[in-house]
């Protein structure tokens, strides 16, 4: 009897894992897809994907959109996200901080965190410059491609970093290979200095600044960033870092602080 119950529990757990995989895949793709397309691209049996898609549709987690049976993330997810934000103060504080940073520097300000073993921009406020930097909020990016990534994994040991980051993520957008040991050396530099800046790996015209926002445990639970035109960023380096550090100090512990009252 126990063996049957364990098998049923294991099947439910695998079903949940697959459901989350479907949701995360659609989030990454940013487009509606047919269930058979989802199954093919995530390497899952069609029958189980169809069964889970139907269950998610019934609960409003997915919705039909775009015709021909295509599905995408449903509005129920918005309500769940709103409930999460209502429980924590940091989103409100973060918006005010980003607005202040963008006003002070005229540059694009971002609040960034890890999403599993990837980096993502959680909040962003564009600066007043005519020059616009386009970043998709919520889109996951390999950690080694980002200035923030060096800070967000700094609490891990060297081996844990290598275990945590998928090997293929050290392949940069231009096709070059970033040696993992070079990345780890930059992580340790960022840890010592409490900041990291570099010319963007993703965009050849920009310079990126990142400082940690520390959680209850003392390591970087998030980062505050500025993304600037390359020449302006280098020319204003000290001032921009000073603005970032002051702003981050006001947000320390915010990513894990529940709403008051």
């Amino acid at each position: 009897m126990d063996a049957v119950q364990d098998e049923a529990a294991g099947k439910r757990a695998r079903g949940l894992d697959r459901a989350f995989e479907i949701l995360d895949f659609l989030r990454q793709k940013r487009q509606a897809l047919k269930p058979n397309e989802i199954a093919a691209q995530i390497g899952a049996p069609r029958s189980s994907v169809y069964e889970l898609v139907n269950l998610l549709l019934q609960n409003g987690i997915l919705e039909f959109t775009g015709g021909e049976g295509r599905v995408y993330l449903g509005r129920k997810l918005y309500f769940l996200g709103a409930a999460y934000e209502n429980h924590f103060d940091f989103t409100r504080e973060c918006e005010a901080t980003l607005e202040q940073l963008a006003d002070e520097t005229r540059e694009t300000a971002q609040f960034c965190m890890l999403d599993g073993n990837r980096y993502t921009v959680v909040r962003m406020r564009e600066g007043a410059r005519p020059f616009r930097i386009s970043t998709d909020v919520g889109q996951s990016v390999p950690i080694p491609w980002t200035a923030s990534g060096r800070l967000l994994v700094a609490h891990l040991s060297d081996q844990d970093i290598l275990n945590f980051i998928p090997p293929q993520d050290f392949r940069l957008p231009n096709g070059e290979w970033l040696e993992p040991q070079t990345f780890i050396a930059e992580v340790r530099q960022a840890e010592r200095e409490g900041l990291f800046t570099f010319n963007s790996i993703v965009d050849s015209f920009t310079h990126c600044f990142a400082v940690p926002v520390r959680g209850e445990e003392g390591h970087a639970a998030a980062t505050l960033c500025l993304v600037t035109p390359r020449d302006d960023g280098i020319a204003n380096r000290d001032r921009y870092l000073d603005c970032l550090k002051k702003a981050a100090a006001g947000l320390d512990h915010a990513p894990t602080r529940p709403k008051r009252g």
Side-chain angles (χ1 to χ4, degrees):
M1 185 65 177
D2 288 345
V4 173
Q5 290 177 338
D6 288 345
E7 183 179 354
K11 185 176 180 181
R12 286 194 297 273
R14 289 191 296 273
L16 280 172
D17 286 343
R18 183 70 77 189
F20 283 120
E21 184 180 7
I22 292 169
L23 296 175
D24 200 50
F25 175 73
L26 288 171
R27 181 176 69 90
Q28 294 290 341
K29 297 297 288 186
R30 301 285 177 116
Q31 66 182 95
L33 294 169
K34 300 175 183 177
N36 64 321
E37 294 172 330
I38 297 171
Q41 294 187 53
I42 68 174
R46 287 189 182 186
S47 58
S48 63
V49 169
Y50 272 99
E51 181 180 354
L52 287 168
V53 164
N54 285 330
L55 183 61
L56 294 169
L57 285 166
Q58 291 169 21
N59 287 277
I61 304 298
L62 293 179
E63 294 179 358
F64 285 115
T65 182
E68 298 182 343
R70 293 184 179 88
V71 297
Y72 193 61
L73 304 176
R75 69 192 70 187
K76 187 68 166 290
L77 293 172
Y78 171 81
F79 297 127
L80 292 172
Y84 172 80
E85 288 195 350
N86 188 58
H87 185 64
F88 288 91
D89 277 334
F90 89 85
T91 50
R92 186 179 302 106
E93 295 176 31
C94 178
E95 291 286 359
T97 298
L98 292 178
E99 185 171 357
Q100 180 180 349
L101 267 175
D103 287 345
E104 287 179 351
T105 64
R106 303 180 67 238
E107 307 292 3
T108 297
Q110 299 175 336
F111 181 83
C112 308
M113 302 180 80
L114 290 182
D115 175 20
N117 59 3
R118 291 289 186 97
Y119 152 98
T120 189
V121 177
V122 179
R123 289 285 187 275
M124 181 177 72
R125 183 59 59 96
E126 288 189 344
R129 291 177 174 277
F131 179 79
R132 286 289 183 265
I133 295 166
S134 177
T135 303
D136 289 331
V137 172
Q139 184 173 9
S140 295
V141 176
I143 290 171
W145 296 11
T146 68
S148 291
R150 274 80 177 163
L151 293 161
L152 292 169
V153 298
H155 62 290
L156 300 175
S157 70
D158 293 0
Q159 188 58 54
D160 285 342
I161 289 172
L162 295 178
N163 294 340
F164 183 62
I165 299 175
Q168 65 270 20
D169 284 1
F170 290 99
R171 181 71 62 189
L172 303 179
N174 62 5
E176 293 182 4
W177 177 255
L178 174 62
E179 288 295 335
Q181 291 306 319
T182 299
F183 174 77
I184 288 174
E186 292 173 347
V187 168
R188 298 308 167 212
Q189 174 192 339
E191 185 179 25
R192 288 192 302 272
E193 297 179 355
L195 61 93
F196 195 79
T197 76
F198 72 168
N199 290 328
S200 174
I201 290 172
V202 177
D203 184 341
S204 60
F205 299 104
T206 62
H207 192 80
C208 302
F209 299 81
V211 300
V213 176
R214 302 191 185 279
E216 297 285 353
E217 294 153 354
H219 63 253
T223 59
L224 275 180
C225 312
L226 287 175
V227 186
T228 76
R230 183 170 292 185
D231 291 344
D232 294 322
I234 293 171
N236 293 282
R237 183 177 191 276
D238 291 342
R239 183 169 73 86
Y240 287 174
L241 284 172
D242 186 54
C243 291
L244 276 172
K245 289 176 182 178
K246 288 179 180 177
L251 287 178
D252 277 351
H253 310 312
T256 55
R257 183 166 64 239
K259 185 176 179 179
R260 294 181 293 271

